[in-house]
Amino acid sequence: MKRYLMIVSGRVQGVGFRYFVLLIAKKTQVTGTVRNQSNGMVEIMVQGDENQIENFKAQLMKGNGFSRIDDLSTKEVPLVEKEKTFRISY
């Protein structure tokens, strides 16, 4: 199991991007959170096995038809052992 902090920049706010991320997370069965940042970027915390995370990332980069990802930075962070779901944080 791995956990990553992902910061996404581009046209990712006001275009349904967090809900798109939530759907991908459910589809790939990862856990974590997604939230907008005040600087216009989106923060994603994602946890799962390497295959799940790679699948999540590949689908994320495709976008939802309204969003545009200009940059995605990824940093490994400590696991959250008891996390069971993926949710939108406010």
Side-chain angles (χ1 to χ4, degrees), residues 4 15 17 26-28 30 40 43 47-48 53 55 57 59-60 69 79 81 85-86 90:
Y4 292 96
V15 291
F17 188 71
K26 288 182 183 220
K27 193 178 198 180
T28 58
V30 295
E43 174 187 290
Q47 182 167 299
I53 291 173
N55 191 9
K57 191 174 172 182
Q59 291 184 47
L60 178 73
I69 296 175
L79 290 173
E81 295 296 331
T85 63
F86 194 97
Y90 296 96

Side-chain angles (χ1 to χ4, degrees), residues 70-89:
D70 293 337
D71 189 51
L72 172 67
S73 66
T74 305
K75 176 183 171 185
E76 190 170 351
V77 295
L79 290 173
V80 174
E81 295 296 331
K82 296 184 181 187
E83 187 173 71
K84 302 258 189 262
T85 63
F86 194 97
R87 64 184 174 82
I88 295 174
S89 264

